Amino acid sequence: MPQKKFLIPIILLQIIPIVIFPLDTISAGLSIFGIVAFVFALLGFGLWRGRSWALSMSIFIQGLNIIIRMMMLFPHALRIDGNGWDISYILMATVSMAISTWFLIRLDKPDVRSLIIA
């Protein structure tokens, strides 16, 4: 059990790259955060209990986040009014992709896999 404490940051923090958005986007979809938090709570519980579906789903969600952010980066890189770049969106999307990539690499390492699926 002491080795599983190593998983706590991974379990608790993997929601961060999914919910990183500029403030104007967050305020428009504030009602969805409860659903997202519930899904990630179930996912974290599954990871803590050593369920392989939770590991597969975590890897899938982080990979899908990277793909979606890449697809949406160029359409949303310009401001709606057409006057310049939307720096906040570009920065948030890049940070989100970087964090998701780290989680993907970390979740696929043998030491983390052996802790989850034991």
Side-chain angles (χ1 to χ4, degrees):
M1 189 65 109
Q3 291 179 347
K4 281 213 172 205
K5 289 183 181 179
F6 173 72
L7 291 176
I8 292 174
I10 293 174
I11 290 171
L12 294 178
L13 299 178
Q14 71 174 334
I15 193 172
I16 290 175
I18 307 301
V19 297
I20 291 179
F21 282 102
L23 289 177
D24 55 338
T25 307
I26 289 175
S27 62
L30 201 55
S31 61
I32 267 319
F33 280 108
I35 297 169
V36 172
F38 178 73
V39 167
F40 274 92
L42 287 177
L43 197 59
F45 181 72
L47 286 172
W48 186 257
R49 300 280 298 166
R51 307 290 188 235
S52 62
W53 63 265
L55 178 63
S56 299
M57 190 58 84
S58 292
I59 292 172
F60 177 76
I61 288 173
Q62 296 300 333
L64 195 62
N65 184 44
I66 294 170
I67 292 169
I68 289 172
R69 298 286 179 135
M70 279 186 188
M71 287 174 39
M72 298 307 291
L73 182 64
F74 291 112
H76 291 285
L78 290 175
R79 293 187 186 274
I80 293 174
D81 59 4
N83 294 335
W85 299 96
D86 191 356
I87 301 298
S88 66
Y89 185 82
I90 295 171
L91 182 67
M92 297 289 182
T94 306
V95 167
S96 175
M97 286 188 284
I99 296 172
S100 281
T101 302
W102 184 84
F103 275 117
L104 264 177
I105 291 170
R106 197 69 204 129
L107 286 170
D108 208 28
K109 296 276 184 182
D111 58 338
V112 174
R113 278 185 176 270
S114 67
L115 286 176
I116 294 172
I117 305 172

